Amino acid sequence: MTLQGKVALVTGASRGIGRAIALGLAAEGARIAINYVSRPDAAAEVRQTLQAMGSDGLPVQADVAVATDVARMVAQVLEHYGHIDVLVHNAALHRGRRVQRLPEADWDTVLNSCLKGAYHCCQHVVPHMSARRSGRIITISSFVGLIGWPGDTAYGAAKAGLIGFTRSLAKEVAAYGITANVVVPGYIPTDMTAALTPKNVDDMLGLIPLGRAGTPEEVAEVVTFLATRAAYVTGAVYVVDGGLSL
Ligand code: NAP
């Protein structure tokens, strides 16, 4: 197990893709700080599943959009586990409307969780990783950040921004033995996509060359690779979308 003795902080680990990432990293031996914002029940379920695997999890509530929450979360994880070796910024939420009907509050909510959340997490985790001269940072973007989507100006801006953020970060932290990479999921049925109509889903599937939706575990597989074996990979953008963005 390549992450034996290591600790991973996964934001938005209580459900969906983040949950699968937490389980994937735990299967490699990591102990997991399970960040959530509003669903302690879901975070507790992930912890129980980790314990059943023989691993360990620490649910940590924090809104990644709020700097003081993130500062408290990182301090809590460091106090409990002593170190953070892997940071996965996966937390996000979606608010979709055409730009002329998109309330400014929705724009701010999306940008603050997806993009500013990465800045908050890195502000607090990078000094710790730099001092230890080692670390792996992975951010979760979206195919929408690559190809755009109607109704997704805020989400698309945030997810494209994450790519620029992570590639700049990779150059900043490389000298400290830290890598930073982006994973770009395609259409992955989760709570986030539950509002899509059957027609939306059919249209989406019709755009995917591999002809099917992806699974949270298929995204997690690539995150695990980046967190473990990918020692000479930094600033890279791994697209896990069945060809949707081609
Ligand atoms: P999801 O099922 O809606 O789960 C979202 C997770 O993020 C939950 O754990 C939620 O916590 C947490 N969260 C939301 N806002 C937060 C905040 N401000 N602070 C801390 N945690 C927060 O979403 P998902 O589909 O798994 O998406 C995971 C990531 O993949 C996101 O970055 C998303 O943009 C990206 N993505 C998803 C798809 C897709 O098709 N599903 C496609 C491309 C990219 P609570 O449980 O406490 O609410």
Side-chain angles (χ1 to χ4, degrees):
M1 292 201 288
T2 49
L3 292 176
Q4 197 71 52
K6 310 266 188 192
V7 175
L9 167 57
V10 182
T11 68
S14 47
R15 291 184 283 129
I17 294 170
R19 178 183 184 279
I21 290 169
L23 300 190
L25 296 175
E28 290 290 332
R31 288 166 293 164
I32 311 292
I34 308 158
N35 164 249
Y36 68 99
V37 65
S38 62
R39 292 278 308 272
D41 56 321
E45 182 279 325
V46 175
R47 179 189 214 175
Q48 278 174 6
T49 304
L50 291 172
Q51 287 172 338
M53 292 166 62
S55 179
D56 183 39
L58 175 72
V60 274
Q61 194 281 335
D63 182 344
V64 294
V66 177
T68 49
D69 273 26
V70 175
R72 174 181 45 74
M73 170 176 72
V74 172
Q76 195 182 336
V77 177
L78 289 177
E79 189 183 332
H80 187 81
Y81 285 128
H83 50 101
I84 297 173
D85 305 281
V86 179
L87 167 66
V88 183
H89 177 57
N90 160 84
L93 47 75
H94 183 264
R95 298 271 186 278
R97 280 193 198 179
R98 300 283 167 146
V99 70
Q100 64 273 27
R101 287 188 281 112
L102 182 72
E104 187 176 352
D106 282 4
W107 172 274
D108 288 343
T109 299
V110 171
L111 269 287
N112 287 346
S113 63
C114 296
L115 186 54
K116 203 171 182 186
Y119 156 72
H120 287 150
C121 290
C122 290
Q123 267 218 318
H124 292 282
V125 171
V126 164
H128 167 74
M129 287 182 171
S130 297
R132 289 165 55 86
R133 304 234 149 219
S134 120
R136 300 280 172 99
I137 297 173
I138 297 139
T139 59
I140 307 298
S141 177
S142 167
F143 70 95
V144 177
L146 295 180
I147 64 171
W149 203 259
D152 270 350
T153 51
Y155 186 75
K159 292 301 189 177
L162 260 186
I163 294 173
F165 173 88
T166 308
R167 289 168 73 88
S168 296
L169 178 71
K171 292 189 172 182
E172 285 186 17
V173 299
Y176 300 96
I178 304 167
T179 65
N181 293 289
V182 190
V183 172
V184 180
Y187 168 51
I188 316 290
T190 64
D191 293 345
M192 185 177 278
T193 63
L196 292 176
T197 66
K199 177 166 183 339
N200 293 153
V201 171
D202 277 353
D203 291 348
M204 182 78 79
L205 293 176
L207 295 172
I208 301 173
L210 286 183
R212 65 171 176 84
T215 66
E217 290 72 24
E218 286 171 322
V219 178
E221 187 69 38
V222 177
V223 172
T224 298
F225 166 70
L226 289 169
T228 55
R229 293 171 288 284
Y232 197 57
V233 178
T234 198
V237 180
Y238 275 69
V239 181
V240 188
D241 71 351
L244 172 57
S245 61
L246 287 173

